[in-house]
Amino acid sequence: MASTLTIKDLHVEIEGKEILKGVNLEIKGGEIHAVMGPNGTGKSTLASAIMGHPKYEITSGSITLDGQDVLEMEVDDRARAGLFLAMQYPSEITGVTNADFLRSAINARREEGKEISLMKFIKELDNKMELLEMDLDMAQRYLNEGFSGGEKKRNEILQLMMIQPAIAILDEIDSGLDIDALKIVSKGINEMRSSEFGCMIITHYQRLLNYITPDKVHVMMQGRVVKSGGPELAQRLEAEGYDWIKAELGIEDETVSQEA
Ligand SMILES: Nc1ncnc2c1ncn2[C@@H]1O[C@H](COP(=O)(O)OP(=O)(O)OP(=O)(O)O)[C@@H](O)[C@H]1O
Ligand SMILES: [Mg+2]
């Protein structure tokens, strides 16, 4: 059954500072949404809030998955319910191999006694790694430990393809990828496309969307979704930047990012 993730008037604070100031967004199975926006506008905060990162305090609003209150769920239960996050900066976990992590994550979503067989798991893992052109040795390495930036991103897509979530949030999955890897990662995401799968792709660049055509494009600024449209919106952003949206909406200049 296709799932629907609904975010309504979401307000989120970090250490007493309001970062999200009323986000509204709905993602249904079968849809791919791109979320764009200047640095520091709250895109990763939104992703972390959906997944239940303890640092992010939800002060008002709601997140539901098929009508179920996500905010009431523990982090593990959110994953079990079918939510998946590929983080902007994936964590390294020493002592847990990639393969063990994947098998546990798959089984966590299954009932007791219905765990994936080792044979089936290995076969699927081999298939997906081949599709993503990954070295099979990576399955036996500790999760993300010593992986290059691009290898981590590719590994997030391996997790996505193995776990088969209902709704995935991919935070800058294209950052640090070389030109060939960008195509491979896009192939993996496109392979996931089905009426049962909904996806939010957070990205800065149109180039990823050349390979994965989004159904909708949203722009976040100052903690809100300020504009939504089709793929043409991402093309206009690539060509013109964000100033025209700020002018259109009468938004004062963003707090400038720390980066030079
Ligand atoms: N743990 C934290 N402690 C303090 N401030 C934080 C924390 N996490 C996020 N922030 C602040 O919240 C704001 C939004 O950050 P966020 O990471 O959501 O931005 P973003 O839109 O994902 O930006 P980018 O495009 O650079 O990834 C920033 O000003 C950031 O400094
Ligand atoms: Mg971010």
Side-chain angles (χ1 to χ4, degrees), residues 38-191:
N39 293 129
T41 46
K43 302 177 300 299
S44 296
T45 301
L46 174 63
S48 296
I50 295 168
M51 291 314 290
H53 192 295
K55 253 201 160 157
Y56 300 81
E57 192 197 342
I58 318 293
T59 49
S60 64
S62 65
I63 305 177
T64 55
L65 184 64
D66 303 324
Q68 270 192 298
D69 188 354
V70 171
L71 298 175
E72 287 291 307
M73 297 178 195
E74 298 293 333
V75 176
D76 287 2
D77 290 334
R78 295 182 197 205
R80 251 176 239 127
L83 295 174
F84 174 93
L85 171 63
M87 286 190 285
Q88 186 170 354
Y89 304 105
S91 319
E92 301 193 359
I93 305 180
T94 305
V96 178
T97 66
N98 215 3
D100 284 346
F101 171 82
L102 283 169
R103 204 160 154 227
S104 311
I106 291 168
N107 285 333
R109 289 198 63 206
R110 294 177 169 225
E111 284 171 41
E112 227 178 284
K114 291 192 176 165
E115 289 89 354
I116 189 167
S117 74
L118 186 58
M119 287 286 282
K120 188 155 187 260
F121 172 76
I122 292 172
K123 199 168 157 229
E124 285 194 15
L125 185 62
D126 284 356
N127 279 341
K128 311 285 190 226
M129 289 185 88
E130 195 178 326
L131 184 135
L132 294 169
E133 298 180 29
M134 288 174 76
D135 189 339
L136 292 182
D137 292 350
M138 295 200 84
Q140 297 313 324
R141 279 173 65 180
Y142 290 147
L143 184 59
N144 286 325
E145 195 184 69
F147 286 22
S148 76
E151 286 170 350
K152 282 183 185 168
K153 295 293 177 177
R154 208 181 291 217
N155 201 48
E156 294 290 296
I157 299 305
L158 177 65
Q159 290 173 19
L160 175 76
M161 299 188 83
M162 291 298 288
I163 296 170
Q164 299 271 319
I167 303 280
I169 300 155
L170 310 179
D171 194 355
E172 295 199 21
I173 198 68
D174 49 343
S175 76
L177 292 179
D178 69 49
I179 295 153
D180 293 331
L182 183 70
K183 286 186 196 161
I184 293 163
V185 156
S186 304
K187 187 169 78 175
I189 298 167
N190 282 328
E191 191 89 359

